[in-house]
């Protein structure tokens, strides 16, 4: 639970260190369940999602401790978690399914319900596990998978990030060869595959739509530094596009953010790729059109931050959300600050306005919360962001400290 008071801020100037990627670390932590040996994850981000998953790892019999700036996991005594509440706390915990099944021959999790941004079913995860030979049984609101996994050809109906990761992990210990077709291509998948390969897995094609995995009998321990968080970096680039100024996003990688960088350039923001990270200069001056898509298309997770940019950018910007069915809830909150936004199903039309004024608003989900903080940076007076559910801390490491360090006017209450 957190509340933020944000005031209109001068152009942001300075350097923001980009944290290790949340969406890379979570599957990598689950991947640690695939071996009996120690897995060391360097610089894990200080996020509630990471802490929650760590407790779930412990409920799976995994020993965990921190050493310098690393998280060490050891799953030599792996078991299914007894208390389903541990799994239910976060969506990404569905990613324990593949490793538990691959190592124990049995896995049970409660079925995740819908969430604020959409229904988010796991049918593709289950379809893939079933193709690998698992029996799938539903009872009492949960799903139990049992069986000894054998390599298979799996076609995903849509390139789901989570399903690709879950199946990739399960297939590393399956007997024979698995091919995942229409796989997701996100950088976090490439990082997970590289991490698993460093444990002895045999994987080819990660980052393309066909991934081939040759099962091995066991995996060994490793030490891994996951990639920098492209969504945090993209959010901070949006902050710069809102206030103007000049930011160095230390550690951010341009090749993971091409779609956003093209859009910011179209809006008149200058970008420079340097060895230390991405430099972003100046304010957005022209409107833009965004269609969220799977990677390398525009990430749905940056749709809300870009909508905050559009609110004060002169002209008409258009957003089409194709990944999640209900991901415009921030539009109504941005409207409370004076933004002109019309939402029709999956389309939002934003008419840039020269003035936003501070108001109390509510963070409806993680990225929506970040978007409201960004909008508060360019709204006259005070914007009070109520994040009762603690969404922002799930995915942004100390967002107020990072923004304050470059001149943002924001206080956690
Ligand atoms: C991951 C990211 C999340 C990001 C999303 C899309 C993590 C921890 N989270 O979520 O930040 O917004 O990718 O880039 O990495 N779907 C099905 N059936 C399935 C699986 C997915 O219908 O079995 C649908 C979902 O409802 C959604 C779409 O496919 O509409 C994309 O979901 P998916 O790629 O699986 O997202 P996540 O892995 O949950």
């Amino acid at each position: 639970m957190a509340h933020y008071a944000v005031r209109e801020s001068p152009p942001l100037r300075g350097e923001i260190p980009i944290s290790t990627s949340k969406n890379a670390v979570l599957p990598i932590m689950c991947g640690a369940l695939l071996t009996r040996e120690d897995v060391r994850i360097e610089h894990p981000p200080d996020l509630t999602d990471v802490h929650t998953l760590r407790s779930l790892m412990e409920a799976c019999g995994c020993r965990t401790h921190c050493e310098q700036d690393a998280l060490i996991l050891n799953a030599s005594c792996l078991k299914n978690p007894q208390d389903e509440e541990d799994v239910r706390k976060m969506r990404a915990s569905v990613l324990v399914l593949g490793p538990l099944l691959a190592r124990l021959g049995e896995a049970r999790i409660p079925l995740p319900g819908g969430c604020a941004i959409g229904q988010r079913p796991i049918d593709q995860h289950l379809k893939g596990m079933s193709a690998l030979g698992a029996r799938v049984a539903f009872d009492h609101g949960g799903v139990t998978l049992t069986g000894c996994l054998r390599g298979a050809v799996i076609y995903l109906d849509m390139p789901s990030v989570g399903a690709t990761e879950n199946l990739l992990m399960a297939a590393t210990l399956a007997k024979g060869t698995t091919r995942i077709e229409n796989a997701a291509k996100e950088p976090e998948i490439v990082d997970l595959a590289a991490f698993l390969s460093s444990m002895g897995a045999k994987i080819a094609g990660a980052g393309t739509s066909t991934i081939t995995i040759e099962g091995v009998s066991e995996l060994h321990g490793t030490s891994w530094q996951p990639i920098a968080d492209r969504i945090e970096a993209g959010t901070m680039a949006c902050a710069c596009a809102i206030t103007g100024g000049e930011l160095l996003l230390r550690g951010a990688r341009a090749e993971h953010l091409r779609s956003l960088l093209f859009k910011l350039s179209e809006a008149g923001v200058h970008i420079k790729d340097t060895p230390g990270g991405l430099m972003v200069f100046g304010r957005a001056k022209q409107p833009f059109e965004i269609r969220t898509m799977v990677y390398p298309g525009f990430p749905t997770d940056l749709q809300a931050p870009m909508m905050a940019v559009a609110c004060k950018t002169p002209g008409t910007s258009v957003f089409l959300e194709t990944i999640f069915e209900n991901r415009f809830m921030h539009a109504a909150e941005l409207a409370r600050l004076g933004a002109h936004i019309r939402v029709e199903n999956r389309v939002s039309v934003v008419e840039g306005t020269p003035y936003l004024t501070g108001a109390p608003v509510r963070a409806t989900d993680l990225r929506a919360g970040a978007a409201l903080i960004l909008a508060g940076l360019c709204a006259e007076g005070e914007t009070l962001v109520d994040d009762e559910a603690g969404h922002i801390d799930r995915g942004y490491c100390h967002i107020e400290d990072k923004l304050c360090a470059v001149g943002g006017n924001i206080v956690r209450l």
Side-chain angles (χ1 to χ4, degrees):
M1 176 177 106
H3 298 267
Y4 304 85
V6 190
R7 299 191 77 87
E8 192 169 14
S9 302
L12 301 180
R13 282 184 204 287
E15 189 175 316
I16 297 183
I18 300 303
S19 299
T20 298
S21 161
K22 165 179 93 76
N23 287 354
V25 159
L26 298 178
I28 285 172
M29 286 171 73
C30 296
L33 301 183
L34 289 163
T35 176
R36 305 176 139 271
E37 295 179 11
D38 276 7
V39 168
R40 183 184 168 93
I41 302 174
E42 302 291 346
H43 309 106
D46 182 15
L47 298 171
T48 48
D49 267 8
V50 172
H51 304 314
T52 308
L53 186 59
R54 184 174 168 189
S55 319
L56 173 58
M57 302 278 100
E58 288 167 357
C60 291
C62 182
R63 290 194 305 275
T64 75
H65 70 279
C66 289
E67 203 177 271
Q68 284 133 7
D69 196 8
L71 172 64
I72 290 104
L73 303 163
N74 181 291
S76 54
C77 305
L78 189 64
K79 59 175 190 205
N80 267 284
Q82 295 308 301
D83 185 353
E84 297 207 339
E85 269 315 302
D86 289 324
V87 187
R88 210 188 288 277
K89 279 185 199 142
M90 66 184 296
R91 239 205 98 74
S93 41
V94 69
L95 295 175
V96 297
L97 205 57
L100 285 174
L101 179 63
R103 264 194 68 199
L104 303 176
E106 179 171 0
R108 180 182 164 81
I109 57 158
L111 284 168
C115 74
I117 58 175
Q119 291 180 34
R120 307 188 81 173
I122 58 163
D123 56 307
Q124 300 302 307
H125 301 238
L126 300 181
K127 182 179 103 164
M129 298 297 173
S130 165
L132 290 174
R135 284 179 300 283
V136 181
F138 297 93
D139 59 14
H140 308 295
V143 58
T144 304
L145 286 86
T146 42
C148 186
L149 303 184
R150 285 172 278 103
V153 178
I154 302 165
Y155 172 78
L156 296 179
D157 295 342
M158 80 278 296
S160 153
V161 175
T164 303
E165 291 167 344
N166 226 342
L167 296 167
L168 175 57
M169 289 191 279
T172 56
L173 293 179
K175 274 205 182 75
T177 305
T178 298
R179 204 165 71 229
I180 307 175
E181 294 190 3
N182 200 23
K185 296 184 273 200
E186 270 67 3
E188 293 77 15
I189 307 267
V190 178
D191 203 39
L192 175 64
F195 160 76
L196 295 169
S197 301
S198 78
M199 295 167 78
K202 298 212 164 84
I203 302 169
T208 74
S209 51
T210 304
I211 306 181
T212 308
I213 307 112
E214 224 178 283
V216 295
S217 57
E218 58 180 16
L219 296 176
H220 54 73
T222 190
S223 171
W224 195 254
Q225 170 62 64
I227 52 175
D229 196 317
R230 65 190 169 103
I231 306 300
E232 186 199 32
T235 303
M236 296 304 179
C238 290
C240 185
I242 284 177
T243 65
E246 193 175 318
L247 286 184
L248 170 63
L249 308 175
R250 183 156 295 285
R253 287 166 62 175
E255 76 261 31
H256 292 166
L257 276 166
R258 289 262 172 254
S259 55
L260 173 78
L261 301 184
F262 276 119
K263 287 292 149 184
L264 287 176
S265 303
E266 279 173 34
V269 176
H270 300 286
I271 313 279
K272 198 168 149 204
D273 190 11
T274 75
L278 271 177
M279 298 276 317
V280 187
F281 317 82
R283 186 177 276 123
K285 299 172 211 73
Q286 289 116 37
F288 43 86
E289 292 189 6
I290 302 272
R291 172 190 289 258
T292 64
M293 289 175 75
V294 294
Y295 191 84
F298 192 92
T300 173
D301 287 350
L302 288 174
Q303 178 256 106
M306 268 309 255
M307 194 176 287
V309 176
C311 290
K312 265 185 100 168
T313 304
T316 307
S317 295
V318 180
F319 293 77
L320 173 62
E321 173 60 57
T322 74
I323 308 291
F324 292 108
E325 62 265 36
N326 192 22
R327 210 171 193 182
F328 282 141
M329 284 195 302
H330 43 281
E333 300 298 314
L334 289 168
R336 290 175 56 78
L337 303 179
H340 298 169
I341 308 178
R342 242 188 50 215
V343 179
E344 284 281 341
N345 301 321
R346 294 194 173 210
V347 178
S348 278
V349 178
V350 184
E351 294 288 346
T353 170
Y355 300 109
L356 296 179
T357 53
V361 287
R362 195 167 58 88
T364 49
D365 68 68
L366 164 57
R367 308 301 171 188
L372 293 170
I373 287 181
L374 299 196
L377 296 173
C378 66
E380 190 201 312
E382 187 173 76
T383 299
L384 274 173
V385 181
D386 169 359
D387 186 11
E388 186 73 36
H391 292 299
I392 297 171
D393 286 331
R394 284 185 36 227
Y396 291 94
C397 264
H398 313 292
I399 192 169
E400 71 283 11
D401 294 344
K402 289 193 177 183
L403 286 170
C404 278
V406 292
N409 207 329
I410 159 168
V411 179
R412 182 189 286 255
L413 302 176

